[in-house]
């Protein structure tokens, strides 16, 4: 899987993206809906670059402070299952001092998937690791599907349930 980035802007959220967002915010996951589509520049980009939110394939989902450890475990679970869910990128803003980011293909890992712990000068644009939300980006294939692929993948992965909630 290769990282798509912001190369495919749209004028609305994609149906597959909305399906995953719904699973995370309305089901037993109980995450807080923070937004999907937005035609805006990437926060912290200089010069300004288009946010992946403008592609309709990105979402932000929040959680309460008392669920922070669970959220890190859940982000790990998502990264472990990134291929099945079509996840290209995860930002875990409250991890450590500056947060961390997962990408489906990292140059520094020889094109393999992996996490990168952020620093004060190399981070996801949210400042120090204080944001209680995850940012997820999914592949065009999963995003543009009416939600059937996401629903089927989620159902299949429930055999390896995500970390239990506190």
């Amino acid at each position: 899987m290769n990282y798509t980035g912001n190369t495919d802007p749209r004028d609305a959220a994609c149906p597959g993206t909305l399906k995953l967002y719904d699973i995370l915010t309305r089901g037993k996951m109980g995450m807080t809906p923070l937004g999907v589509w937005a035609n805006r520049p990437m926060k912290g980009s200089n010069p300004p670059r288009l946010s992946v939110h403008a592609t309709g394939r990105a979402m932000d989902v929040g959680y309460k402070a008392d669920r922070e450890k669970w959220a890190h475990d859940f982000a790990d679970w998502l990264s472990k299952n990134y291929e099945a869910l079509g996840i290209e990128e995860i930002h875990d803003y409250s991890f450590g001092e500056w947060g961390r980011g997962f990408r489906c293909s990292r140059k520094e890992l020889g094109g393999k998937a992996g996490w990168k712990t952020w620093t004060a000068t190399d981070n996801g644009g949210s400042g120090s690791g204080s944001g209680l939300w995850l940012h997820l980006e999914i592949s065009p294939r999963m995003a543009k599907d009416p939600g059937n692929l996401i629903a089927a993948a989620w159902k299949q992965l429930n055999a390896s349930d995500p970390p239990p909630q506190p």
Side-chain angles (χ1 to χ4, degrees):
M1 179 184 293
N2 291 317
Y3 180 66
T4 307
N6 60 5
T7 60
D8 57 338
R10 299 173 56 90
D11 59 1
C14 296
T17 307
L18 292 173
K19 181 62 177 177
L20 181 58
Y21 191 65
D22 187 59
I23 288 168
L24 297 177
T25 61
R26 292 188 183 203
K28 68 177 185 174
M29 300 309 298
M31 299 186 88
T32 305
L34 298 177
V36 181
W37 184 86
N39 187 8
R40 63 168 177 78
M42 198 179 305
K43 291 182 179 174
S45 64
N46 191 12
R49 293 177 295 161
L50 190 63
S51 168
V52 178
H53 283 281
T55 70
R57 297 182 296 99
M59 70 189 76
D60 293 327
V61 289
Y63 53 88
K64 292 183 168 53
D66 64 348
R67 296 180 70 200
E68 188 173 357
K69 171 152 181 7
W70 171 86
H72 299 317
D73 292 344
F74 181 58
D76 288 336
W77 181 86
L78 289 170
S79 70
K80 187 172 90 176
N81 294 291
Y82 80 97
E83 290 178 302
L85 293 167
I87 294 175
E88 292 189 355
E89 184 142 308
I90 304 166
H91 296 177
D92 184 359
Y93 290 108
S94 72
F95 184 86
E97 189 173 352
W98 292 97
R100 65 179 176 161
F102 170 86
R103 187 169 281 178
C104 64
S105 57
R106 288 200 168 279
K107 287 182 228 170
E108 61 270 29
L109 296 176
K112 294 181 181 174
W115 284 99
K116 177 179 182 179
T117 301
W118 293 336
T119 67
T121 57
D122 184 13
N123 60 60
S126 68
S128 64
S130 60
L132 297 175
W133 80 93
L134 300 175
H135 168 88
L136 306 173
E137 299 172 16
I138 63 174
S139 70
R141 177 177 173 265
M142 294 300 258
K144 292 174 184 174
D145 178 80
N148 301 328
L149 292 174
I150 286 286
W154 190 265
K155 185 176 180 179
Q156 182 179 14
L157 288 172
N158 272 335
S160 63
D161 280 333
Q165 297 175 61

